[in-house]
Each structure stands twice: as C-alpha cells, then as structure tokens.
Amino acid sequence: MSVDTMWLSQVKPIANNVYISSPIIRKGEYYAGIFAAPDHTDRIAKKIGADLSQVTAVSNENWSVDWQTLKQLKPKAMFNESEWIIMAKLVSHGWVDIMLVSFNNSTDFRYSGDGYVIEAIKGIKVALQDSRHFVISRKHPRSQQTFRELELGIKRLRESNFIEKSYRSCGFLTNLVDKWREIP
C-alpha cells in the first residue's frame, strides 16, 4: 500500500484515485525562512518590503508550493534549479540573493555544508499557503479501512496537541519566529 504526504495543491489532480487525509500541516501553519549569504542578510533585508521585487530568488519549479509562493512575491528575477545544494551555493556565493528554506532548531537559523553557508534573514518569514496531507491509493484492498484508521489517529493526535509539539520539537514549526514579520 502506498501512503505518502503531499501538498493539497499537488493532490487535487489525482483526487479521484486517492484518499486524502485531514491536514497534518494546516494551511498557513508552516513558515519558511528567507535565506541569504550571511554577509548579505542585512543588505537584502532592507530591500524586502511587502514583496521580493528588489531581490533575485532561486527555487525548484517542481516544488510547486515554494515556486508559487515565490512567484506571488514577484522577485526581480527567479531561477529554477533542481538540486538544493546548488541553490544553497548560488545564494552563499551571492550569485542569487535568496531562497526559501525550512527553519531548524538552531537560533541562528544557519545551514552550512561543503561550499556553502546560508542564514535566515532575521525578522522576516513567508507563510506557505497550502496544507499537507497523507495520501492513500484507492487501489489497495484495505485502503478504506486504512484511511478510516488514519483519520481517527490524526484526530486523536491533533486533540492531544502531539502533531504540533512534534513539529515544534524538530524545528519544522518554531515559536522562535512567531513575532517575525510575515510576507505576503
């Protein structure tokens, strides 16, 4: 049986072939950081107002939620790159101004690796306007039963606040950015 999580916007075209769970991440609940090269964050922050029209951005057009979010924010230029590491290197070296990245548990919100260092622009976050759901193929003989049990489990986990606590403990959701300005 195939069970996966997907953004609702990605699931809609196949909705007749799958069961779609209640949201595991609700619309507007997930924020991404705007990441730049550490020595460029202050300069770029001054260029970001209600949109991204004064900066360049890189993302992967196959990451539909990130891509659409960036497009709505109207960057000066937008570049498509399939590999996250290459995106991080483009930003780290200052060839592209920003990229959207998940927050982590580190208070400096920094990612580094071989040939790159990127850091969140402090004080600004972007809400991704989609929800994330488990998706179960209707073709499996036990898909209906699995779906009912999954829904019951999600309901119980939501009522006990386990889902939010879990996402907060790993940094996927973080109260460290609760007071940051949200765009759009």
Side-chain angles (χ1 to χ4, degrees):
M1 178 179 319
S2 176
V3 178
D4 200 0
T5 61
M6 296 175 70
W7 294 108
L8 185 59
S9 60
Q10 294 173 307
V11 176
K12 284 182 180 178
I14 61 168
N16 292 335
N17 301 318
V18 296
Y19 290 104
I20 304 168
S21 76
S22 300
I24 196 76
I25 298 171
R26 296 170 290 206
K27 184 176 180 177
E29 182 175 41
Y30 171 64
Y31 292 94
I34 300 173
F35 280 68
D39 55 346
H40 295 174
T41 57
D42 291 338
R43 177 180 55 81
I44 292 171
K46 291 174 184 168
K47 293 181 174 185
I48 298 174
D51 63 20
L52 300 175
S53 60
Q54 300 301 308
V55 298
T56 59
V58 64
S59 188
N60 181 333
E61 66 185 358
N62 293 322
W63 301 347
S64 59
V65 175
D66 290 42
W67 190 261
Q68 289 306 315
T69 298
L70 281 170
K71 276 180 68 173
Q72 290 172 3
L73 294 173
K74 301 177 175 110
K76 181 168 42 174
M78 200 159 134
F79 303 98
N80 178 37
E81 175 52 56
S82 60
E83 294 185 40
W84 190 92
I85 297 291
I86 294 174
M87 286 184 231
K89 288 180 180 182
L90 289 169
V91 170
S92 180
H93 293 290
W95 299 325
V96 177
D97 293 324
I98 61 111
M99 65 188 283
L100 297 181
V101 182
S102 299
F103 290 110
N104 56 29
N105 275 334
S106 150
T107 55
D108 64 358
F109 300 118
R110 180 182 285 229
Y111 290 93
S112 61
D114 187 21
Y116 72 90
V117 178
I118 58 173
E119 183 177 293
I121 295 174
K122 304 292 187 279
I124 305 171
K125 62 186 177 183
V126 174
L128 298 183
Q129 294 301 315
D130 206 347
S131 54
R132 193 126 178 119
H133 303 259
F134 285 104
V135 179
I136 301 167
S137 170
R138 289 180 182 262
K139 292 180 181 177
H140 193 278
R142 290 192 305 260
S143 60
Q144 253 185 340
Q145 175 189 353
T146 301
F147 177 70
R148 282 193 306 271
E149 291 171 4
L150 178 62
E151 283 296 285
L152 179 60
I154 291 172
K155 181 181 179 193
R156 288 180 179 166
L157 293 172
R158 182 74 63 202
E159 287 170 352
S160 71
N161 210 25
F162 181 82
I163 295 171
E164 185 176 345
K165 284 179 188 173
S166 297
Y167 279 128
R168 287 198 181 275
S169 73
C170 72
F172 188 78
L173 301 177
T174 177
N175 59 357
L176 297 173
V177 301
D178 284 350
K179 294 188 180 353
W180 287 19
R181 177 171 66 97
E182 179 183 330
I183 60 171

